[in-house]
mmCIF file of all heavy atoms in Angstrom:
data_model
loop_
_atom_site.group_PDB
_atom_site.id
_atom_site.type_symbol
_atom_site.label_atom_id
_atom_site.label_comp_id
_atom_site.label_asym_id
_atom_site.label_seq_id
_atom_site.Cartn_x
_atom_site.Cartn_y
_atom_site.Cartn_z
ATOM 1 N N MET A 1 5.384 -4.413 5.213
ATOM 2 C CA MET A 1 5.165 -3.041 5.657
ATOM 3 C C MET A 1 3.948 -2.475 4.945
ATOM 4 O O MET A 1 3.792 -2.628 3.747
ATOM 5 C CB MET A 1 6.398 -2.199 5.341
ATOM 6 C CG MET A 1 6.188 -0.744 5.696
ATOM 7 S SD MET A 1 7.514 0.346 5.202
ATOM 8 C CE MET A 1 7.152 0.576 3.484
ATOM 9 N N ILE A 3 1.783 0.956 3.998
ATOM 10 C CA ILE A 3 1.867 2.411 3.870
ATOM 11 C C ILE A 3 0.451 2.950 3.782
ATOM 12 O O ILE A 3 -0.318 2.549 2.909
ATOM 13 C CB ILE A 3 2.686 2.819 2.622
ATOM 14 C CG1 ILE A 3 4.122 2.316 2.736
ATOM 15 C CG2 ILE A 3 2.654 4.330 2.448
ATOM 16 C CD1 ILE A 3 4.942 2.509 1.472
ATOM 17 N N MET A 16 1.246 11.987 -6.102
ATOM 18 C CA MET A 16 1.897 12.209 -4.806
ATOM 19 C C MET A 16 1.977 10.891 -4.032
ATOM 20 O O MET A 16 2.999 10.589 -3.421
ATOM 21 C CB MET A 16 1.136 13.264 -3.997
ATOM 22 C CG MET A 16 1.744 13.554 -2.636
ATOM 23 S SD MET A 16 3.490 14.034 -2.650
ATOM 24 C CE MET A 16 3.419 15.593 -3.466
ATOM 25 N N SER A 17 0.916 10.097 -4.081
ATOM 26 C CA SER A 17 0.916 8.800 -3.403
ATOM 27 C C SER A 17 2.005 7.897 -3.968
ATOM 28 O O SER A 17 2.709 7.224 -3.219
ATOM 29 C CB SER A 17 -0.449 8.118 -3.549
ATOM 30 O OG SER A 17 -1.432 8.865 -2.880
ATOM 31 N N GLN A 18 2.181 7.900 -5.290
ATOM 32 C CA GLN A 18 3.226 7.086 -5.917
ATOM 33 C C GLN A 18 4.613 7.583 -5.515
ATOM 34 O O GLN A 18 5.510 6.792 -5.257
ATOM 35 C CB GLN A 18 3.078 7.107 -7.441
ATOM 36 C CG GLN A 18 1.885 6.318 -7.925
ATOM 37 C CD GLN A 18 1.641 6.493 -9.419
ATOM 38 O OE1 GLN A 18 2.245 7.335 -10.077
ATOM 39 N NE2 GLN A 18 0.726 5.692 -9.950
ATOM 40 N N TYR A 19 4.783 8.911 -5.477
ATOM 41 C CA TYR A 19 6.053 9.516 -5.079
ATOM 42 C C TYR A 19 6.429 9.078 -3.657
ATOM 43 O O TYR A 19 7.548 8.640 -3.396
ATOM 44 C CB TYR A 19 5.926 11.042 -5.169
ATOM 45 C CG TYR A 19 7.122 11.812 -4.665
ATOM 46 C CD1 TYR A 19 8.262 11.957 -5.445
ATOM 47 C CD2 TYR A 19 7.106 12.415 -3.411
ATOM 48 C CE1 TYR A 19 9.364 12.675 -4.985
ATOM 49 C CE2 TYR A 19 8.197 13.139 -2.946
ATOM 50 C CZ TYR A 19 9.322 13.258 -3.742
ATOM 51 O OH TYR A 19 10.398 13.966 -3.289
ATOM 52 N N ILE A 20 5.466 9.179 -2.740
ATOM 53 C CA ILE A 20 5.703 8.811 -1.338
ATOM 54 C C ILE A 20 6.021 7.320 -1.222
ATOM 55 O O ILE A 20 6.974 6.928 -0.553
ATOM 56 C CB ILE A 20 4.482 9.175 -0.467
ATOM 57 C CG1 ILE A 20 4.316 10.692 -0.402
ATOM 58 C CG2 ILE A 20 4.607 8.586 0.938
ATOM 59 C CD1 ILE A 20 3.003 11.158 0.191
ATOM 60 N N THR A 21 5.229 6.484 -1.902
ATOM 61 C CA THR A 21 5.428 5.039 -1.836
ATOM 62 C C THR A 21 6.809 4.654 -2.344
ATOM 63 O O THR A 21 7.506 3.849 -1.728
ATOM 64 C CB THR A 21 4.331 4.310 -2.651
ATOM 65 O OG1 THR A 21 3.053 4.704 -2.141
ATOM 66 C CG2 THR A 21 4.468 2.805 -2.552
ATOM 67 N N LYS A 22 7.232 5.264 -3.451
ATOM 68 C CA LYS A 22 8.554 4.968 -4.029
ATOM 69 C C LYS A 22 9.665 5.326 -3.030
ATOM 70 O O LYS A 22 10.589 4.551 -2.805
ATOM 71 C CB LYS A 22 8.713 5.751 -5.329
ATOM 72 C CG LYS A 22 9.943 5.381 -6.126
ATOM 73 C CD LYS A 22 9.929 6.100 -7.461
ATOM 74 C CE LYS A 22 11.318 6.616 -7.756
ATOM 75 N NZ LYS A 22 11.369 7.600 -8.800
ATOM 76 N N LYS A 23 9.547 6.498 -2.416
ATOM 77 C CA LYS A 23 10.560 6.943 -1.445
ATOM 78 C C LYS A 23 10.594 6.019 -0.221
ATOM 79 O O LYS A 23 11.664 5.683 0.284
ATOM 80 C CB LYS A 23 10.270 8.371 -0.975
ATOM 81 C CG LYS A 23 10.465 9.418 -2.043
ATOM 82 C CD LYS A 23 11.874 9.884 -2.014
ATOM 83 C CE LYS A 23 12.064 11.090 -2.897
ATOM 84 N NZ LYS A 23 13.472 11.350 -3.137
ATOM 85 N N LEU A 24 9.408 5.627 0.259
ATOM 86 C CA LEU A 24 9.348 4.810 1.475
ATOM 87 C C LEU A 24 9.768 3.368 1.241
ATOM 88 O O LEU A 24 10.271 2.715 2.163
ATOM 89 C CB LEU A 24 7.950 4.867 2.083
ATOM 90 C CG LEU A 24 7.587 6.212 2.714
ATOM 91 C CD1 LEU A 24 6.148 6.201 3.189
ATOM 92 C CD2 LEU A 24 8.516 6.556 3.862
ATOM 93 N N GLU A 25 9.589 2.854 0.028
ATOM 94 C CA GLU A 25 10.023 1.486 -0.257
ATOM 95 C C GLU A 25 11.544 1.383 -0.143
ATOM 96 O O GLU A 25 12.078 0.379 0.305
ATOM 97 C CB GLU A 25 9.542 1.041 -1.641
ATOM 98 C CG GLU A 25 8.078 0.660 -1.625
ATOM 99 C CD GLU A 25 7.500 0.382 -3.001
ATOM 100 O OE1 GLU A 25 8.159 0.684 -4.028
ATOM 101 O OE2 GLU A 25 6.376 -0.138 -3.045
ATOM 102 N N ARG A 26 12.246 2.445 -0.529
ATOM 103 C CA ARG A 26 13.700 2.483 -0.397
ATOM 104 C C ARG A 26 14.092 2.413 1.091
ATOM 105 O O ARG A 26 15.014 1.690 1.471
ATOM 106 C CB ARG A 26 14.234 3.769 -1.040
ATOM 107 C CG ARG A 26 15.740 3.870 -1.062
ATOM 108 C CD ARG A 26 16.194 5.142 -1.736
ATOM 109 N NE ARG A 26 15.632 6.358 -1.155
ATOM 110 C CZ ARG A 26 16.071 6.939 -0.053
ATOM 111 N NH1 ARG A 26 17.074 6.443 0.620
ATOM 112 N NH2 ARG A 26 15.506 8.050 0.397
ATOM 113 N N VAL A 27 13.362 3.150 1.919
ATOM 114 C CA VAL A 27 13.625 3.140 3.368
ATOM 115 C C VAL A 27 13.304 1.754 3.943
ATOM 116 O O VAL A 27 14.054 1.232 4.765
ATOM 117 C CB VAL A 27 12.774 4.224 4.078
ATOM 118 C CG1 VAL A 27 12.902 4.122 5.584
ATOM 119 C CG2 VAL A 27 13.160 5.608 3.588
ATOM 120 N N ALA A 28 12.215 1.151 3.479
ATOM 121 C CA ALA A 28 11.793 -0.156 3.997
ATOM 122 C C ALA A 28 12.817 -1.245 3.687
ATOM 123 O O ALA A 28 13.001 -2.171 4.478
ATOM 124 C CB ALA A 28 10.437 -0.528 3.419
ATOM 125 N N LYS A 29 13.494 -1.145 2.535
ATOM 126 C CA LYS A 29 14.519 -2.135 2.198
ATOM 127 C C LYS A 29 15.683 -2.058 3.182
ATOM 128 O O LYS A 29 16.263 -3.068 3.549
ATOM 129 C CB LYS A 29 15.030 -1.904 0.770
ATOM 130 C CG LYS A 29 14.074 -2.397 -0.285
ATOM 131 C CD LYS A 29 14.609 -2.148 -1.671
ATOM 132 C CE LYS A 29 13.559 -2.537 -2.698
ATOM 133 N NZ LYS A 29 13.822 -1.969 -4.003
ATOM 134 N N ILE A 37 3.663 2.540 8.156
ATOM 135 C CA ILE A 37 3.923 3.976 8.135
ATOM 136 C C ILE A 37 2.628 4.692 7.783
ATOM 137 O O ILE A 37 2.000 4.399 6.761
ATOM 138 C CB ILE A 37 5.013 4.357 7.113
ATOM 139 C CG1 ILE A 37 6.326 3.630 7.428
ATOM 140 C CG2 ILE A 37 5.239 5.870 7.118
ATOM 141 C CD1 ILE A 37 7.452 3.923 6.469
ATOM 142 N N MET A 56 4.527 11.966 9.576
ATOM 143 C CA MET A 56 4.703 10.515 9.444
ATOM 144 C C MET A 56 4.814 9.881 10.812
ATOM 145 O O MET A 56 5.516 10.391 11.678
ATOM 146 C CB MET A 56 5.973 10.189 8.655
ATOM 147 C CG MET A 56 5.828 10.383 7.198
ATOM 148 S SD MET A 56 7.238 9.739 6.310
ATOM 149 C CE MET A 56 6.993 10.626 4.774
ATOM 150 N N GLU A 75 6.314 17.874 -2.054
ATOM 151 C CA GLU A 75 7.504 17.079 -2.362
ATOM 152 C C GLU A 75 8.616 17.394 -1.364
ATOM 153 O O GLU A 75 9.259 16.488 -0.830
ATOM 154 C CB GLU A 75 7.998 17.336 -3.795
ATOM 155 C CG GLU A 75 7.136 16.697 -4.863
ATOM 156 C CD GLU A 75 5.931 17.543 -5.252
ATOM 157 O OE1 GLU A 75 5.745 18.651 -4.685
ATOM 158 O OE2 GLU A 75 5.162 17.103 -6.117
ATOM 159 N N VAL A 78 7.659 16.043 2.130
ATOM 160 C CA VAL A 78 7.812 14.588 2.216
ATOM 161 C C VAL A 78 9.291 14.225 2.320
ATOM 162 O O VAL A 78 9.689 13.411 3.164
ATOM 163 C CB VAL A 78 7.164 13.896 0.993
ATOM 164 C CG1 VAL A 78 7.585 12.435 0.887
ATOM 165 C CG2 VAL A 78 5.649 14.015 1.066
ATOM 166 N N LYS A 79 10.112 14.837 1.482
ATOM 167 C CA LYS A 79 11.551 14.555 1.470
ATOM 168 C C LYS A 79 12.180 14.864 2.828
ATOM 169 O O LYS A 79 12.951 14.074 3.376
ATOM 170 C CB LYS A 79 12.199 15.389 0.371
ATOM 171 C CG LYS A 79 13.550 14.923 -0.052
ATOM 172 C CD LYS A 79 13.996 15.708 -1.265
ATOM 173 C CE LYS A 79 15.421 15.427 -1.623
ATOM 174 N NZ LYS A 79 15.885 16.227 -2.734
ATOM 175 N N GLU A 80 11.842 16.022 3.390
ATOM 176 C CA GLU A 80 12.376 16.447 4.688
ATOM 177 C C GLU A 80 11.917 15.501 5.805
ATOM 178 O O GLU A 80 12.698 15.113 6.669
ATOM 179 C CB GLU A 80 11.928 17.882 4.973
ATOM 180 C CG GLU A 80 12.473 18.461 6.254
ATOM 181 C CD GLU A 80 13.991 18.579 6.261
ATOM 182 O OE1 GLU A 80 14.585 18.861 5.200
ATOM 183 O OE2 GLU A 80 14.580 18.385 7.346
ATOM 184 N N ILE A 82 10.923 12.340 5.514
ATOM 185 C CA ILE A 82 11.551 11.028 5.357
ATOM 186 C C ILE A 82 12.995 11.064 5.850
ATOM 187 O O ILE A 82 13.452 10.130 6.517
ATOM 188 C CB ILE A 82 11.469 10.536 3.893
ATOM 189 C CG1 ILE A 82 10.013 10.149 3.566
ATOM 190 C CG2 ILE A 82 12.394 9.334 3.660
ATOM 191 C CD1 ILE A 82 9.772 9.771 2.126
ATOM 192 N N SER A 83 13.726 12.143 5.565
ATOM 193 C CA SER A 83 15.114 12.199 6.038
ATOM 194 C C SER A 83 15.154 12.261 7.569
ATOM 195 O O SER A 83 16.037 11.665 8.192
ATOM 196 C CB SER A 83 15.880 13.359 5.399
ATOM 197 O OG SER A 83 15.515 14.580 5.943
ATOM 198 N N GLU A 86 14.497 8.735 8.722
ATOM 199 C CA GLU A 86 15.685 7.905 8.526
ATOM 200 C C GLU A 86 16.742 8.150 9.600
ATOM 201 O O GLU A 86 17.395 7.214 10.071
ATOM 202 C CB GLU A 86 16.294 8.144 7.140
ATOM 203 C CG GLU A 86 15.562 7.398 6.051
ATOM 204 C CD GLU A 86 16.313 7.398 4.742
ATOM 205 O OE1 GLU A 86 16.274 8.432 4.056
ATOM 206 O OE2 GLU A 86 16.942 6.372 4.424
#
Side-chain angles (χ1 to χ4, degrees):
M1 176 186 80
I3 298 172
M16 180 55 67
S17 295
Q18 288 173 350
Y19 175 79
I20 293 168
T21 303
K22 189 174 138 195
K23 291 271 190 194
L24 289 176
E25 282 172 349
R26 185 179 55 80
V27 173
K29 283 180 185 163
I37 301 179
M56 283 189 199
E75 286 84 0
V78 167
K79 198 172 172 183
E80 183 63 35
I82 288 175
S83 75
E86 280 192 282

